[in-house]
């Protein structure tokens, strides 16, 4: 008995007999004639699958899986699938196969399977070689076998072939199309008899490309050595994964562990012709489709089980499927989609952020748009407001200017009085000086003093004119740091004569300390003039005993206050809330704009104006302006 045979070959004897009986009983299979089995649809169909290398040996494991899946999905009968592995195919010098043959024969003698499926060339060869000993009457489907490996001479009427065609030329050609700068193709292959066969075949097909690209053959190397080489490949090299069943050191590589290790370490892309290796490790290209082979094989098996002749269901040479590429590998190796062969499919495309979060993005975009709309709306409004503000300031300045002209009427007497005084003095002093000069010995010192007086009076007159011009000047709103005491005092100076004439005492009580505020002198004086004129006008209507207007400036915390109070009748309580409204007036000739202008000017100075009645009678207007820092 060889240790290299998969299932321990049990010598026929009582234990084997028991095993066989158990197998038949378990499956509920009575030994019947073929036609009786076919007739009964509830009887399970018994299928034997012969594997070439092992049940987990890629790519054949994938072919077998695909066939079984198709069968289970489509079979109208219950299925009993028995699988056996021909491990001897893994070894270069396999031991004797006979014990394994004996084991199978004793297992199926008396209850042969309904069909045998061989997966891969070694299993096909084994099935053909031993069928007379094992299942002489049982039909066999040879699948996942390359057409060059089909032993046609020994095919019988009970055999169906589902072969494939390995078109390595197509593989190399597509590699050069996808990566046109490729200079070297390193072919990875093991050393099992099957792999040796393919080494020669691939070399033969590679000849066509030798003028364009250099081939390196990683056959006969240990897999460790292959890994070392693959980790330091020169630029423009690609790896072609042929097969790795048994490496040069005699190590068997099952599943896709070897390929995964290679993929992890290699500094070059890996191509293959089997889609069993696609989807994580290889870039792709024209490949066999295990699904397609699985479908065709299952179809043939079912037709044979239904009674069709095996020969008539053979499928010769399934070609490579439409080229498929792994998008992730393409990104990794910088493969341009434009270089792919026409009609290629690109799989595993990672959705971009837009595809993954489409709704969230739409929502965010909508919110951003809405916000942008709101912001631009607000900016637009803000701009309009600022324009309106500037315009209203302009209008205010114009209105204030007109208002000042109106006030000039009131001021005429005052101005005339103020001018008359210095002019009268100048005249008197000039006449006195003339008389003195006519004398025999004029007192020059006294004349000098008289001239000094004349000059002083002249300056006083000039000052009156300057103030009048300044208050009538049409200026834009301009702020500067000003002393409020001085500004108020100057405004009061204009009205002193008016008050005197009307027999009104106009008193000014400035704050003891300087009150610096930021403001426009002309505008603030306009406010004070308006309020004092209003107070004088209010007093004109009353017979009050003490007819006086008192103007006070005082510091109140962070504010400077100007209080203008009179002893007049005050403001009717019902009117208090309206006095600052435009066109509110109780005077027959009034315009009702004075207080409106006052309030607008004060607010433009970030200040406040309040109208109230004093408890002792008379109105009190308080202007509060922030002290300049
Ligand atoms: P006008 O002087 O043209 O009437 P104003 O806006 O200056 O316009 O004043 C509006 C109204 O406020 C006046 O008509 C008057 O009724 C009232 N007012 C203003 N100042 C006083 C005051 N010192 N005493 C009593 N009433 C006043």
């Amino acid at each position: 008995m060889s240790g290299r045979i998969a299932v321990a070959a049990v010598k026929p004897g009582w234990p084997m007999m028991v095993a066989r009986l158990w197998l038949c009983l378990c499956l509920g299979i009575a030994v019947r004639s073929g036609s009786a089995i076919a007739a009964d649809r509830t009887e399970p169909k018994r299928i034997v699958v012969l594997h070439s290398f092992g049940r987990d040996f890629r790519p054949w494991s994938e072919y077998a899986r695909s066939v079984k899946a198709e069968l289970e999905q489509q079979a109208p009968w219950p299925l009993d699938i028995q699988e056996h592995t021909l491990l001897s195919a893994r070894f270069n010098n396999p031991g004797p196969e006979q014990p394994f043959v004996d084991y199978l024969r004793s297992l199926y003698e008396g209850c042969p399977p309904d069909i045998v499926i061989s997966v891969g060339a070694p299993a096909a060869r084994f099935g053909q070689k031993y069928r007379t000993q094992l299942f002489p009457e049982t039909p066999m489907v040879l699948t996942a076998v390359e057409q060059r490996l089909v032993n046609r001479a020994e095919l019988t009427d009970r055999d169906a072939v589902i072969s494939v065609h390995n078109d390595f030329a197509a593989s190399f050609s597509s590699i050069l199309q996808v990566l046109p700068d490729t200079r070297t193709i390193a072919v990875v292959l093991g050393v099992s008899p099957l792999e040796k066969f393919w080494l020669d075949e691939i070399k033969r097909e590679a000849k066509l490309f030798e003028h364009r690209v250099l081939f390196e053959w990683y056959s006969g190397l240990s897999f460790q050595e292959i890994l070392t080489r693959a980790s330091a490949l020169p630029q423009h090299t690609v790896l072609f994964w042929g097969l790795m069943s048994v490496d040069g050191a005699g190590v068997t590589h099952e599943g896709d562990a070897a390929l995964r290790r290679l993929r992890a370490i290699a500094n070059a892309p890996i191509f293959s012709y089997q889609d069993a290796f696609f989807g994580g490790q290889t870039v792709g290209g024209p490949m066999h489709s295990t699904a397609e082979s699985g479908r065709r094989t299952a179809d043939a098996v079912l037709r044979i089980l239904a009674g069709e002749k095996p020969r008539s269901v053979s499928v010769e040479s399934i070609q490579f499927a439409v080229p498929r590429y792994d998008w992730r590998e393409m990104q990794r190796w910088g493969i341009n989609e434009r270089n792919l062969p026409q009609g290629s499919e690109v799989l595993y495309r990672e959705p971009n952020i837009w595809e993954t979060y489409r709704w969230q993005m739409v929502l965010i975009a909508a919110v951003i748009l809405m916000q942008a709309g709101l912001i631009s709306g607000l900016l637009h409004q803000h701009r309009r407001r600022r324009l309106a503000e500037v315009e209203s300031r302009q209008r205010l300045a114009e209105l204030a200017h007109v208002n000042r002209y109106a006030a000039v009427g009131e001021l005429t007497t005052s101005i005339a009085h103020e001018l008359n005084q210095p002019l009268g003095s100048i005249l008197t002093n000039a006449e006195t000086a003339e008389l003195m000069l006519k004398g025999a010995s004029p007192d020059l010192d006294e004349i000098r003093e008289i001239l000094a007086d004349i000059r002083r009076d002249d300056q006083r007159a000039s000052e009156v004119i300057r103030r009048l011009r300044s208050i009538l000047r049409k200026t834009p709103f301009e702020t500067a740091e000003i002393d409020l005491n001085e500004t108020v005092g100057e405004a009061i100076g204009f009205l002193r004569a008016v008050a005197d004439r009307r027999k009104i005492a106009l008193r000014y009580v400035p704050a003891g300390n300087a009150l610096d505020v930021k403001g426009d002198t002309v505008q603030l004086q306009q406010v004070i003039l308006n309020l004092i004129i209003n107070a004088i006008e209010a007093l004109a209507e009353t017979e009050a005993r003490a007819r006086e207007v008192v103007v006070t400036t005082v510091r109140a915390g962070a504010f400077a206050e100007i209080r203008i109070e009179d002893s007049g009748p005050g403001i009717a309580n019902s009117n208090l809330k309206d006095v600052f409204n435009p066109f509110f007036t109780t005077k027959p000739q009034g315009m009702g704009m004075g207080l409106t202008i006052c309030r607008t000017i004060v607010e433009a100075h970030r200040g406040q104006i309040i109208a109230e009645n004093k408890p002792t009678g008379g109105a009190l207007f308080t202007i509060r302006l922030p002290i300049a820092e």
Side-chain angles (χ1 to χ4, degrees), residues 554-576:
V554 66
R555 180 171 181 150
F559 293 92
E561 278 186 2
I562 311 165
R563 294 182 193 147
I564 296 157
E565 52 191 294
D566 60 65
S567 55
I571 305 162
N573 277 339
S574 55
N575 292 343
L576 265 178

Side-chain angles (χ1 to χ4, degrees), residues 406-423:
V408 171
E410 294 286 341
L411 298 178
T412 320
T413 334
S414 172
I415 293 161
H417 176 77
E418 275 205 67
L419 278 176
N420 266 344
Q421 260 194 341
L423 289 177

Side-chain angles (χ1 to χ4, degrees), residues 494-572:
F494 281 115
L495 293 163
R496 214 162 268 298
V498 180
D500 285 350
R501 217 164 60 88
R502 300 202 183 174
K503 303 208 174 4
I504 292 167
L506 176 56
R507 283 202 290 129
Y508 177 37
V509 190
N513 44 346
L515 290 178
D516 289 338
V517 297
K518 268 203 166 160
D520 181 319
T521 315
V522 177
Q523 303 273 346
L524 287 176
Q525 284 181 341
Q526 172 65 28
V527 174
I528 295 153
L529 283 181
N530 268 339
L531 295 175
I532 298 176
I533 290 170
N534 272 351
I536 291 173
E537 282 176 353
L539 282 168
E541 295 166 13
T542 177
E543 293 303 320
R545 26 349 5 120
R547 287 150 56 89
E548 63 171 358
V549 177
V550 183
V551 180
T552 321
T553 57
V554 66
R555 180 171 181 150
F559 293 92
E561 278 186 2
I562 311 165
R563 294 182 193 147
I564 296 157
E565 52 191 294
D566 60 65
S567 55
I571 305 162

Side-chain angles (χ1 to χ4, degrees), residues 371-442:
Q371 272 185 347
L374 271 172
I375 290 169
S376 63
L378 285 172
L379 283 175
H380 182 64
Q381 256 191 6
H382 178 73
R383 203 170 149 266
R384 281 185 55 182
R385 236 184 37 213
R386 294 228 15 128
L387 278 175
E389 237 169 62
V390 170
E391 206 170 311
S392 89
R393 286 247 174 94
Q394 192 85 21
R395 295 275 167 276
L396 174 72
E398 280 168 16
L399 200 59
H401 188 238
V402 173
N403 199 259
R404 281 198 295 276
Y405 271 106
V408 171
E410 294 286 341
L411 298 178
T412 320
T413 334
S414 172
I415 293 161
H417 176 77
E418 275 205 67
L419 278 176
N420 266 344
Q421 260 194 341
L423 289 177
S425 307
I426 288 169
L427 186 64
T428 314
N429 279 329
E431 284 169 355
T432 312
E434 251 179 10
L435 281 174
M436 285 176 79
L437 284 171
K438 279 179 187 163
S441 53

